[in-house]
Amino acid sequence: RDQNCALWVHLNCTLSQGSDSGLSRGKEAVFLRKKITLVRAIALIIGTVIGSGIFIAPKGVLQNSGNVGLSLVVWLACGVLSLFGALSYADLGTSITKSGGHYIYLLETLGPLPAFLRLWAEFVMIRPAVIAVVSLAFGRYLIEPLFAPCHAPALAVKLVTITGISLIIALNCWSVSWSANTQTVLTVLKMVTIGLIIVPGMLVLAEGKTSNFQHAFDTSSLALDKLPLAFYSGMFAYSGWFYVNFVTEEIINPERNIPLSLIVSLLIVTLGYLLINVSYYAVLTAEEVLASEAVAVSFADRAFKSISSAIPILVALSCFGSLNGGVFAAARMLFAASREGQWPLLFSMIHRRRNTPFPALLLMLPLIFLMVLIGDLYGLLSFFSFSRWLFIGLVTLGLMIHHYRHPEIPRPFKVPLFIPLVFTIICFFIVGMSLYSDPVNTGISCAITLTGLPVYYLVVQKSRIPTSCSAMFIPSDFKKEEIHRLKL
């Protein structure tokens, strides 16, 4: 308990952005005030969801769905499916009032083993792969115009990508305030970028140019076995709605604001994504979308040549903002696991002067660089999506089990069990089908996830091994004053 109290101090210092104005002090610990309003929660979700996905996923969705019409159906279905998942997470967030997102919900509903495997997959595979995908999109959009009309060399893209990642990590290590202020500016630029894509597409349609939508449901290139991969690309673009559950303890009136922020945000994002894709297809043919390495660049070249050079830069900055937000949020799950005794104390510590999660940020870098160097963008999407959606499906399965086992727990926002049931079935169906559609990437993802089993039983589950051995990984019996001296 003393260890947990001290760890709580570590995270609160990390999340306070180096200022005491957001803190209230108790006798033994420092607690973060609830400062996230409804508007801020909506901004957090929209700003995190709209990142690189809508600029890189259209090609993957079209490639694996087979035609324009079905690709638009997939985009709509992904929006509805994400809303079902968000409503399920709103139920969990208002009844299990801890920060930590997926990890905490699995721990409370299905137990420590699934929770640890989710944590293991997150920081060994999912988080590095997500950062690698977003940063590769950043690198491609930033450098592609320099080589037009040819494609940018892969090595050049990866060098720019590694530079961008290093800059993001340095920014988050240097100052939480700088990182947060950067995120605000980039979110505004992100909305400008989306407007610059939607408006020209709608103007083209208003002129009656609808030839690209003729034979929209042509079945000649339809491949149903590839459809789960289309959903992976689409769901990647929508992913990020669950980040509000990472900060449950900081939200004002969470019983009202968590469900409302999720519903409003996903309705806005779904409408925006449909309009963006319609704009893409109003200007570009399906063949041009498939041939493009950067769809928004090709769209800008065709729609308005006068400012076409600005679009890829704005898209790159949008990816940069999404990357910054993802890196910033990673510390919360790490802390939650440290507080529960399932992750090394080192990951929850902060820099003594900068008040930033220095160790957690730096220890992610090697795996991120590795995935950037050896992976390609769409292969990485399939690689991490298997584990991500497997565990999200397990979270909503856990919700249904939690409803059954603990009917006495107050649930300020209670969803009908039909919603998590449909979401869980579809998640497991997509995950299962992906093993057939892309057995290599999904098989590797599954194998890496299972490597967490020996780590859990040999290191984390201290009751099965001597205390002296487990202490090498997680300190088991620190005194409070000793933990307070552990600073960088």
Side-chain angles (χ1 to χ4, degrees):
R1 183 62 60 187
D2 289 346
Q3 177 188 354
N4 291 343
C5 179
L7 288 174
W8 185 229
V9 175
H10 282 299
L11 180 69
N12 287 325
C13 291
T14 301
L15 300 182
S16 68
Q17 300 185 11
S19 171
D20 288 338
S21 62
L23 303 176
S24 61
R25 298 182 181 275
K27 293 181 179 179
E28 297 182 340
V30 182
F31 296 93
L32 197 68
R33 290 176 183 169
K34 293 178 178 289
K35 298 184 70 177
I36 300 180
T37 62
L38 175 62
V39 174
R40 289 178 178 176
I42 292 173
L44 170 66
I45 298 169
I46 294 178
T48 308
V49 171
I50 301 177
S52 63
I54 190 58
F55 306 116
I56 62 176
K59 177 180 177 179
V61 173
L62 178 61
Q63 188 174 30
N64 292 297
S65 60
N67 56 61
V68 171
L70 188 55
S71 72
L72 293 175
V73 172
V74 169
W75 280 105
L76 178 60
C78 287
V80 174
L81 185 61
S82 297
L83 181 60
F84 276 25
L87 292 173
S88 302
Y89 269 61
D91 187 320
L92 286 163
T94 54
S95 57
I96 302 174
T97 55
K98 291 183 181 180
S99 296
H102 322 294
Y103 169 77
I104 284 296
Y105 300 149
L106 285 170
L107 185 67
E108 296 289 336
T109 60
L110 297 182
L113 177 57
F116 177 78
L117 289 178
R118 176 64 176 86
L119 183 74
W120 178 260
E122 173 76 14
F123 290 99
V124 172
M125 175 178 55
I126 297 174
R127 181 60 51 186
V130 170
I131 292 174
V133 167
V134 177
S135 55
L136 280 168
F138 162 79
R140 181 162 296 284
Y141 272 100
L142 195 62
I143 202 173
E144 192 79 20
L146 301 178
F147 292 88
C150 302
H151 294 314
L155 181 59
V157 172
K158 293 191 176 188
L159 288 175
V160 173
T161 295
I162 289 174
T163 303
I165 294 170
S166 302
L167 183 59
I168 283 288
I169 296 294
L171 177 66
N172 280 269
C173 286
W174 184 260
S175 171
V176 179
S177 297
W178 285 15
S179 176
N181 292 336
T182 300
Q183 187 71 10
T184 302
V185 174
L186 293 175
T187 299
V188 175
L189 291 175
K190 189 178 301 186
M191 302 311 295
V192 172
T193 306
I194 290 173
L196 288 175
I197 293 175
I198 292 176
V199 173
M202 295 301 104
L203 292 176
V204 169
L205 289 178
E207 294 173 359
K209 298 177 180 179
T210 59
S211 58
N212 291 344
F213 293 96
Q214 294 179 1
H215 310 294
F217 289 92
D218 179 22
T219 58
S220 60
S221 56
L222 183 64
L224 293 178
D225 61 325
K226 296 292 184 182
L227 201 56
L229 301 182
F231 272 90
Y232 271 173
S233 295
M235 294 300 287
F236 168 72
Y238 281 97
S239 63
W241 48 263
F242 38 73
Y243 279 126
V244 74
N245 294 78
F246 281 55
V247 294
T248 301
E249 296 170 22
E250 303 164 56
I251 296 177
I252 298 171
N253 191 9
E255 294 82 3
R256 170 183 177 270
N257 289 342
I258 288 179
L260 198 55
S261 62
L262 285 166
I263 293 169
V264 171
S265 300
L266 279 170
L267 289 177
I268 293 173
V269 170
T270 302
L271 178 61
Y273 279 7
L274 284 174
L275 290 176
I276 289 173
N277 277 278
V278 169
S279 295
Y280 283 153
Y281 293 125
V283 175
L284 302 172
T285 65
E287 291 74 18
E288 288 171 330
V289 171
L290 291 174
S292 175
E293 291 294 331
V295 179
V297 174
S298 301
F299 174 87
D301 288 340
R302 182 69 61 82
F304 30 69
K305 293 185 179 296
S306 58
I307 60 169
S308 61
S309 59
I311 294 297
I313 295 175
L314 289 172
V315 172
L317 290 174
S318 176
C319 297
F320 194 80
S322 181
L323 186 63
N324 182 57
V327 169
F328 182 78
R332 284 159 168 86
M333 190 183 292
L334 284 168
F335 166 74
S338 294
R339 184 169 62 177
E340 300 295 336
Q342 286 198 336
W343 206 248
L345 182 64
L346 174 65
F347 280 79
S348 68
M349 293 183 180
I350 62 169
H351 192 277
R352 185 174 182 176
R353 294 184 301 276
R354 299 291 175 192
N355 293 321
T356 55
F358 222 96
L361 292 167
L362 292 180
L363 289 169
M364 285 193 295
L365 266 179
L367 282 173
I368 297 171
F369 286 163
L370 178 65
M371 291 193 182
V372 168
L373 292 173
I374 67 174
D376 68 281
L377 197 150
Y378 294 102
L380 285 171
L381 267 177
S382 300
F383 174 66
F384 76 79
S385 293
F386 171 83
S387 291
R388 167 178 270 186
W389 294 107
L390 171 64
F391 283 107
I392 290 178
L394 285 175
V395 169
T396 51
L397 174 63
L399 167 64
M400 293 185 285
I401 295 173
H402 200 253
H403 271 247
Y404 176 76
R405 289 180 177 173
H406 303 285
E408 75 285 355
I409 293 180
R411 298 183 186 276
F413 182 81
K414 185 176 181 178
V415 295
L417 288 182
F418 166 77
I419 289 177
L421 178 63
V422 170
F423 182 79
T424 303
I425 290 173
I426 293 177
C427 279
F428 288 161
F429 175 76
I430 294 173
V431 165
M433 284 295 294
S434 68
L435 285 169
Y436 172 75
S437 303
D438 188 359
V440 176
N441 283 312
T442 52
I444 294 173
S445 177
C446 180
I448 292 175
T449 302
L450 293 177
T451 60
L453 285 172
V455 177
Y456 176 79
Y457 284 111
L458 294 177
V459 181
V460 178
Q461 197 180 34
K462 293 173 289 193
S463 60
R464 297 197 176 193
I465 56 176
T467 305
S468 59
C469 181
S470 63
M472 291 188 298
F473 191 73
I474 300 173
S476 59
D477 192 24
F478 275 115
K479 294 180 179 179
K480 187 186 304 183
E481 58 270 22
E482 291 173 334
I483 297 178
H484 280 293
R485 287 200 297 267
L486 288 174
K487 294 180 180 179
L488 290 176

